[in-house]
């Protein structure tokens, strides 16, 4: 069994994910490529203490990048869009004040 810290890698914080959070009550995470939806649901509920309505996943293709005169490729990664149940809220910045220091 994987640890919940092995399943959830990091939150994805972009303009689109912030809009999803405000409007649709959805949160976006980068997760382990081998994790399934059930493991992701349990990890989010355990780590953040919220109820999850649904989990949608997608494999994001790695972008081609230039390294000098050689072409390379970034690694592909798995993204999970978590829909929270009504009344639930998840805030990543609740312990950070305006100065950027933790409270």
């Amino acid at each position: 069994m994987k640890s919940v810290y092995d399943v959830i890698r990091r939150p994805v914080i972009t303009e689109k994910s912030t809009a999803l959070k405000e409007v649709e009550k959805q949160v976006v995470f980068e997760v382990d490529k081998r994790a399934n939806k059930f493991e992701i649901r349990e990890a989010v509920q355990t780590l953040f203490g919220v109820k999850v309505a649904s989990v949608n996943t997608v494999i994001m293709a790695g972008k081609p990048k230039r390294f000098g005169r050689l072409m390379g490729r970034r690694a592909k990664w798995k993204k999970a869009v978590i829909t929270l149940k009504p009344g639930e809220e998840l805030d990543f910045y609740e312990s950070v004040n305006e100065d950027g220091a933790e409270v």
Side-chain angles (χ1 to χ4, degrees), residues 33-76:
K33 282 192 290 189
R34 297 165 293 175
N36 60 36
K37 291 181 181 185
F38 300 108
E39 292 171 337
I40 295 168
R41 176 190 303 265
E42 288 300 318
V44 170
Q45 290 182 157
T46 303
L47 279 176
F48 300 106
V50 295
K51 300 289 184 193
V52 174
S54 67
V55 177
N56 297 325
T57 59
V58 62
I59 301 289
M60 301 298 293
K63 296 180 180 179
K65 292 292 175 183
R66 179 178 288 284
F67 297 103
R69 60 184 179 177
L70 303 174
M71 287 301 290
R73 180 170 282 279
R74 285 188 182 165
K76 58 184 177 179

